[in-house]
Amino acid sequence: MSLELLGITVLWIFLYGYMIIGSIDFGAGFFSYYGKLRKKDHLINGVINRYLSPVWEVTNVFLVFFFVGLVGFFPDTAYFYGTVLLIPASIATILLAIRGSFYAFANYGARDNQLFLFSYGVTGLLIPASLSTVLVISEGGFITELGDTISLNMSALLSSPLTWSVALLAVFSVLFISSAFLSYYANKAEDLEAREVLRKIALFSSVPMMISSFVMIFFLQRESAWHFNQLYGYAWTFLLGLLAFLTAIYLLYRKERFGIAFLMVMLQFAFAFFGYGASHLPYLLYPYLTIYDGIVNQTMGTYLVIGFIAGLTLLIPSLILLMRLFLFNVDYVKGNK
Amino acid sequence: MDTLMLSRILTGLTLGFHIIYATIGVGVPIMIMLSEWLGIKRNDVHYILLARRWARGFVITVAVGVVTGTIIGMQLSLLWPSFMKIAGQVISLPLFLETFAFFLEAIFLGIYLYTWDRFKKPIYHWLLIIPVVLGSSLSATFITMVNAFMNTPEGFTMQNGVITDIEPLKAMFNPATPTKVAHVLSSAYLTSAFVLAAITAYYLLKGRNHEYYKKALKLTLIVSFIFAIATALIGDLSGKFLADYQPEKLAAAEWHFETRKQAELIVGGFLTDDLQIKNAIKLPMALSILAHGNPNAEVVGLNEFPKDLWPPLYVHYLFDLMVMIGVYLTLVSGLFLFFWKWKPQLMWKKWLMALIILGGPLSIVAIEVGWIFAEVGRQPWILRGYMKTAEGVTTATNVGTLLIVFALLYVILGTLTVYILTRLFKKNTPEIELEKRGIIL
């Protein structure tokens, strides 16, 4: 595999990881606030807090890892994306800042403070929406080049139906992924009341999610013909994704095998995400930047790969330890520890 | 104001805010580790409680440190895209490794916080703080390497804007790396220990006199003293490094214009418009000693450099302030330890507590001015010798609006941190907790 393909694959895997873990986290934050608002917090917040507390800090690292790695492997992205993303990325970081710190404020200092929980819950849905605009920008058509300078056409971005359909898809996906995971987690904790609330949210949110994904593909065809044409070659991944989705819905509906159901949800998004990513190649930013432009120097690339492997040998056992102590520790999940 | 100035202010503001939390994030885990270790070794619940309470406050500062760190990580590419394009090619390895260190810290901090009392042997729990200490100090190390590279770029060849012959390890271990990393780490340990000492001294001054506070103050001030001495020694090495590699920075800090032997060190004073030094204390030969360890050594003056490559001359005040605070912290912690050994009746005097309390905010000020000195001192370069700051800045507009929005965000986060921390510790005092845990007062 060539260095550029290896680099983008590694980064895409990390972005996928962020999407799953981040979604669980963002959704959980939202449900946590929602539960409080609807006075249902006694039902679901125990499960949510037990899951969230030990892992909230880890989520953010996946995102940092992605953008540092992107600049590392593809230094030119710093120039292009750095210049055009000033406003969208700043908004996303401000939301992330509010969310991250308000969680700590609410849970380690001022428990049950409505304002903190509100900011935490609402930003949880705005962040995926704002981050997803980067995907839209990468389709091209929103950047104007004037001599030496490039700039983002904000009004074109905000008035494009593609932007809004992607944002909607992001929000509904977050709700779906998160509730599917949490119903599995609640099931493990034998907290049937919480499981039922979350299972229903999962089933209900799957409908708008599927609708918005079709709407998104419809607008992609209209706004970004080059990408849509390339999607054909990967249609099979989306079909497999659909199959995984239907299996997950079936299991959730029948209240069976919640673990497998969540695995199916992960597969569904893996197929869609990697199909989408692969069909976008070789462009990182259409039509300005491909993975072959400004790829990092070969020596540095090799070092990055070595550093990456060394990092993973440290990271994977640590993550496994974290999961064994909390996520998959029956006593902890049930609240006995 | 133009985009360049606005971008510099915004970067400075974000980093200036971040380093308060980052410094605490690097230093406090060490204190938690020491305290829990003492508690286990001496079977002393006071130290265990101390570690627990420090850890609880630490979580809140970590959260703000993490989010502001994410902001600065993104802002580097957003505000300085051309710079990152170059730096990304040469220095992405330490940036990359930094995120791994950060990962390690994040994972184990989560585990550490939720496994108190979960293991049969307390030492197992203690072991979990070690990756946190390692992770936070390593991430400081890696990120400082990036900054060191900006001061003394090495490990690549640049011709007509094209970079070749990259040697990643040489770029990481550039001449500025050893002194910078050592100084950053040691001053972070010093600052964190002193801030914790100041908080403890505040309680003692207010009349709380439980053994718990006294143990806490002894521990924090021993650590402070050790790292105050270490920071001073490393500071001396940093002076020698500057004299060899960035003589213009040292010369600007010391208003040293003419190259000469037996150079004098300027303390305090001010500079007139025609570059005359007024009201300063001049220590003969001290600058030669600082620069080369030899009173007769020749020190390069600013006049050797074209004027448009001079750093701003106000860095002198920052340098002086940093050094003076360093001396103050050494003296105060040293005095406390002296009394402990030879005059224990003076140890808990109110005036000494007041001096220690003052050292807390002062140590943060020292971190800030020391950092501004280091950064402004390499102006006009962003990559010394290769790229001017003006060439690295974004071409996007709107930086002014963002500056206001981010400033507002930092005001809110800063205020809330203080409010939440005071609330957290006021509502649940050590006395209440000791009683709850069945420890007799």
Side-chain angles (χ1 to χ4, degrees), chain B residues 10 59 66 100 108 110 125 161 168 283 285 301 363 389 417:
Chain B
L10 179 52
V59 183
V66 167
F100 274 116
F108 279 91
H125 181 255
L283 306 175
M285 298 188 273
S363 62
T389 309
T417 320

mmCIF file of all heavy atoms in Angstrom, chain B residues 10 59 66 100 108 110 125 161 168 283 285 301 363 389 417:
data_model
loop_
_atom_site.group_PDB
_atom_site.id
_atom_site.type_symbol
_atom_site.label_atom_id
_atom_site.label_comp_id
_atom_site.label_asym_id
_atom_site.label_seq_id
_atom_site.Cartn_x
_atom_site.Cartn_y
_atom_site.Cartn_z
ATOM 1 N N LEU B 10 -4.812 36.727 19.269
ATOM 2 C CA LEU B 10 -5.689 35.583 19.542
ATOM 3 C C LEU B 10 -4.877 34.346 19.937
ATOM 4 O O LEU B 10 -5.224 33.649 20.893
ATOM 5 C CB LEU B 10 -6.566 35.295 18.313
ATOM 6 C CG LEU B 10 -7.527 34.107 18.424
ATOM 7 C CD1 LEU B 10 -8.378 34.198 19.674
ATOM 8 C CD2 LEU B 10 -8.433 34.018 17.203
ATOM 9 N N VAL B 59 -9.516 17.343 38.283
ATOM 10 C CA VAL B 59 -10.391 16.965 37.164
ATOM 11 C C VAL B 59 -10.961 18.204 36.475
ATOM 12 O O VAL B 59 -11.045 18.274 35.249
ATOM 13 C CB VAL B 59 -11.574 16.119 37.668
ATOM 14 C CG1 VAL B 59 -12.430 15.686 36.500
ATOM 15 C CG2 VAL B 59 -11.073 14.922 38.408
ATOM 16 N N VAL B 66 -7.963 20.487 28.643
ATOM 17 C CA VAL B 66 -8.172 19.677 27.444
ATOM 18 C C VAL B 66 -8.875 20.485 26.359
ATOM 19 O O VAL B 66 -8.445 20.518 25.216
ATOM 20 C CB VAL B 66 -9.006 18.413 27.773
ATOM 21 C CG1 VAL B 66 -9.484 17.743 26.492
ATOM 22 C CG2 VAL B 66 -8.190 17.439 28.600
ATOM 23 N N PHE B 100 -0.588 10.892 21.536
ATOM 24 C CA PHE B 100 -0.543 9.580 22.199
ATOM 25 C C PHE B 100 -0.355 9.738 23.703
ATOM 26 O O PHE B 100 -0.999 9.055 24.503
ATOM 27 C CB PHE B 100 0.582 8.717 21.630
ATOM 28 C CG PHE B 100 0.176 7.946 20.413
ATOM 29 C CD1 PHE B 100 0.775 8.185 19.190
ATOM 30 C CD2 PHE B 100 -0.816 6.990 20.486
ATOM 31 C CE1 PHE B 100 0.398 7.485 18.061
ATOM 32 C CE2 PHE B 100 -1.201 6.276 19.362
ATOM 33 C CZ PHE B 100 -0.591 6.534 18.149
ATOM 34 N N PHE B 108 -6.006 6.867 31.666
ATOM 35 C CA PHE B 108 -5.698 6.457 33.033
ATOM 36 C C PHE B 108 -6.248 7.415 34.080
ATOM 37 O O PHE B 108 -6.502 7.010 35.209
ATOM 38 C CB PHE B 108 -4.196 6.219 33.207
ATOM 39 C CG PHE B 108 -3.790 4.877 32.694
ATOM 40 C CD1 PHE B 108 -3.372 4.714 31.386
ATOM 41 C CD2 PHE B 108 -3.889 3.759 33.502
ATOM 42 C CE1 PHE B 108 -3.039 3.469 30.895
ATOM 43 C CE2 PHE B 108 -3.558 2.503 33.021
ATOM 44 C CZ PHE B 108 -3.135 2.360 31.715
ATOM 45 N N GLY B 110 -9.210 8.708 33.890
ATOM 46 C CA GLY B 110 -10.562 8.179 34.064
ATOM 47 C C GLY B 110 -10.557 6.964 34.973
ATOM 48 O O GLY B 110 -11.371 6.850 35.893
ATOM 49 N N HIS B 125 -3.996 0.794 43.049
ATOM 50 C CA HIS B 125 -4.607 2.061 42.656
ATOM 51 C C HIS B 125 -3.547 3.123 42.416
ATOM 52 O O HIS B 125 -3.610 3.893 41.464
ATOM 53 C CB HIS B 125 -5.594 2.532 43.726
ATOM 54 C CG HIS B 125 -6.261 3.816 43.373
ATOM 55 N ND1 HIS B 125 -5.928 5.013 43.963
ATOM 56 C CD2 HIS B 125 -7.193 4.107 42.434
ATOM 57 C CE1 HIS B 125 -6.657 5.974 43.414
ATOM 58 N NE2 HIS B 125 -7.426 5.453 42.493
ATOM 59 N N GLY B 161 11.627 27.860 -0.760
ATOM 60 C CA GLY B 161 10.350 27.430 -0.194
ATOM 61 C C GLY B 161 10.104 25.932 -0.275
ATOM 62 O O GLY B 161 9.066 25.441 0.151
ATOM 63 N N PRO B 168 13.674 13.776 10.940
ATOM 64 C CA PRO B 168 12.704 14.050 12.014
ATOM 65 C C PRO B 168 13.320 14.078 13.415
ATOM 66 O O PRO B 168 12.961 14.934 14.228
ATOM 67 C CB PRO B 168 11.712 12.894 11.880
ATOM 68 C CG PRO B 168 11.827 12.451 10.471
ATOM 69 C CD PRO B 168 13.253 12.666 10.092
ATOM 70 N N LEU B 283 25.074 44.818 37.306
ATOM 71 C CA LEU B 283 25.965 43.879 37.978
ATOM 72 C C LEU B 283 27.150 43.581 37.062
ATOM 73 O O LEU B 283 26.971 42.939 36.018
ATOM 74 C CB LEU B 283 25.231 42.587 38.314
ATOM 75 C CG LEU B 283 23.936 42.733 39.129
ATOM 76 C CD1 LEU B 283 23.242 41.395 39.279
ATOM 77 C CD2 LEU B 283 24.242 43.327 40.505
ATOM 78 N N MET B 285 30.077 42.111 35.038
ATOM 79 C CA MET B 285 30.525 40.780 34.582
ATOM 80 C C MET B 285 29.478 39.677 34.707
ATOM 81 O O MET B 285 29.692 38.560 34.255
ATOM 82 C CB MET B 285 31.804 40.353 35.327
ATOM 83 C CG MET B 285 32.963 41.282 35.057
ATOM 84 S SD MET B 285 34.507 40.699 35.716
ATOM 85 C CE MET B 285 34.463 41.348 37.374
ATOM 86 N N GLY B 301 26.328 41.629 21.182
ATOM 87 C CA GLY B 301 25.332 42.672 21.433
ATOM 88 C C GLY B 301 24.336 42.806 20.290
ATOM 89 O O GLY B 301 24.535 42.267 19.201
ATOM 90 N N SER B 363 3.656 32.707 41.129
ATOM 91 C CA SER B 363 4.267 31.651 40.312
ATOM 92 C C SER B 363 3.542 31.530 38.970
ATOM 93 O O SER B 363 4.159 31.267 37.943
ATOM 94 C CB SER B 363 4.275 30.319 41.063
ATOM 95 O OG SER B 363 2.960 29.909 41.343
ATOM 96 N N THR B 389 6.968 35.847 11.024
ATOM 97 C CA THR B 389 5.611 35.634 11.517
ATOM 98 C C THR B 389 4.572 36.115 10.498
ATOM 99 O O THR B 389 3.546 35.482 10.297
ATOM 100 C CB THR B 389 5.418 36.369 12.855
ATOM 101 O OG1 THR B 389 6.504 36.000 13.718
ATOM 102 C CG2 THR B 389 4.121 35.990 13.512
ATOM 103 N N THR B 417 -14.361 28.251 36.447
ATOM 104 C CA THR B 417 -13.414 27.348 37.113
ATOM 105 C C THR B 417 -13.215 27.763 38.562
ATOM 106 O O THR B 417 -13.282 26.937 39.481
ATOM 107 C CB THR B 417 -12.026 27.386 36.430
ATOM 108 O OG1 THR B 417 -12.199 27.441 35.041
ATOM 109 C CG2 THR B 417 -11.201 26.196 36.810
#
